[in-house]
Amino acid sequence: MFLFILTMTFFTISTLNLAFAADLYKQDDKTNIIQNQSVNMNMNFNDVIKKYNLKEVTISEIPKNIKPLEIKDAAELDKILNRFSTSTNLNNVKQSKLNIDSISGNKQSMNLGSAVYSTYIFSPYAWFNIRVKYGYKYSSSLRKNIYTQVYGVSSDLTGFTMWIEWIPDSNLSYGSIVNSGLGLKAHVEGTVNYYLLVNGVVKLYSRHEVHEYTFTNP
């Protein structure tokens, strides 16, 4: 039974990876139609590599958990890199709260919470996450909870990332309380790396990204 589950899991992941490029051509939403029209079918690999400033990397430079995405032709490469630069409206917000009744022995109430904002990214199935930890209290005047303090802001990737790497810059990630405590604005920055196998050579598409999201309802 265990061997069957393991085999099916491997088959599912492999199927996602193999079918991924083909699925690019099955998209029919307006955004992808516009992108498809912008792809020059007469491009060669060198044109696309120059257009997106792809860098060659050695096998030793590839992170252990990364499996480069194999690209078959220049048109496919151009389409994929176009897709990398677009965003998606698929997102999700989850929050959890922890109540602590005493701090350093004092009988004082403190409320702690955490939340994560997740956005689907272009891969078989992966999410980019902005995470926050905060303090909050009940406002009798507003008759609702408000944010009181930001304890931490971070970002990461989860899911089947495969050929994508996110390197957060903790020095440029922070949070601030806005709108009289009704919102917590999180700001994160970092570098996203895409590893692609082009004509048997691993190429790296890398760019700096800035993301912000305002959490509400602590």
Side-chain angles (χ1 to χ4, degrees):
M1 183 64 180
F2 174 77
L3 180 59
F4 174 76
I5 295 173
L6 183 62
T7 303
M8 289 301 296
T9 301
F10 175 77
F11 174 78
T12 301
I13 295 174
S14 299
T15 302
L16 280 170
N17 197 22
L18 291 173
F20 174 74
D23 288 342
L24 293 175
Y25 296 91
K26 298 179 182 178
Q27 305 292 336
D28 58 1
D29 57 88
K30 293 182 179 179
T31 300
N32 287 326
I33 289 174
I34 294 173
Q35 290 173 355
N36 292 347
Q37 292 174 345
S38 69
V39 174
N40 185 347
M41 300 302 292
N42 294 321
M43 272 187 160
N44 59 42
F45 275 125
N46 289 333
D47 292 332
V48 183
I49 290 170
K50 183 177 180 180
K51 177 181 177 180
Y52 293 97
N53 193 30
L54 302 187
K55 305 295 184 183
E56 183 174 335
V57 296
T58 63
I59 298 298
S60 62
E61 293 175 306
I62 303 174
K64 292 182 179 180
N65 60 325
I66 293 293
K67 181 180 180 181
L69 173 64
E70 184 175 2
I71 308 299
K72 297 180 180 179
D73 57 60
E76 179 186 11
L77 177 60
D78 194 28
K79 176 172 286 189
I80 288 174
L81 292 173
N82 263 312
R83 185 73 180 273
F84 283 162
S85 63
T86 64
S87 61
T88 173
N89 292 325
L90 295 176
N91 56 68
N92 187 36
V93 179
K94 295 181 180 180
Q95 297 198 67
S96 61
K97 299 177 181 178
L98 173 65
N99 295 323
I100 300 178
D101 295 328
S102 64
I103 306 173
S104 301
N106 298 323
K107 293 299 180 180
Q108 178 182 356
S109 177
M110 181 178 74
N111 301 309
L112 298 177
S114 64
V116 56
Y117 170 76
S118 301
T119 301
Y120 177 77
I121 61 174
F122 187 51
S123 95
Y125 193 82
W127 296 84
F128 174 76
N129 308 298
I130 299 177
R131 304 179 187 274
V132 295
K133 295 181 180 180
Y134 57 85
Y136 68 97
K137 69 177 183 180
Y138 180 77
S139 171
S140 56
S141 59
L142 296 176
R143 296 184 179 180
K144 60 176 63 179
N145 290 335
I146 61 172
Y147 295 99
T148 58
Q149 192 167 349
V150 181
Y151 291 107
V153 175
S154 61
S155 57
D156 59 64
L157 295 179
T158 54
F160 296 110
T161 54
M162 292 189 178
W163 53 81
I164 305 175
E165 177 187 37
W166 170 254
I167 304 176
D169 189 335
S170 58
N171 293 325
L172 296 176
S173 300
Y174 56 86
S176 56
I177 297 173
V178 298
N179 195 18
S180 302
L182 296 178
L184 191 167
K185 185 177 182 180
H187 176 104
V188 299
E189 297 188 30
T191 301
V192 61
N193 294 322
Y194 298 89
Y195 292 85
L196 310 169
L197 185 60
V198 181
N199 273 349
V201 178
V202 179
K203 298 289 185 178
L204 174 65
Y205 173 59
S206 180
R207 71 171 184 263
H208 183 81
E209 289 193 351
V210 178
H211 296 274
E212 289 186 337
Y213 181 77
T214 300
F215 294 86
T216 57
N217 303 317

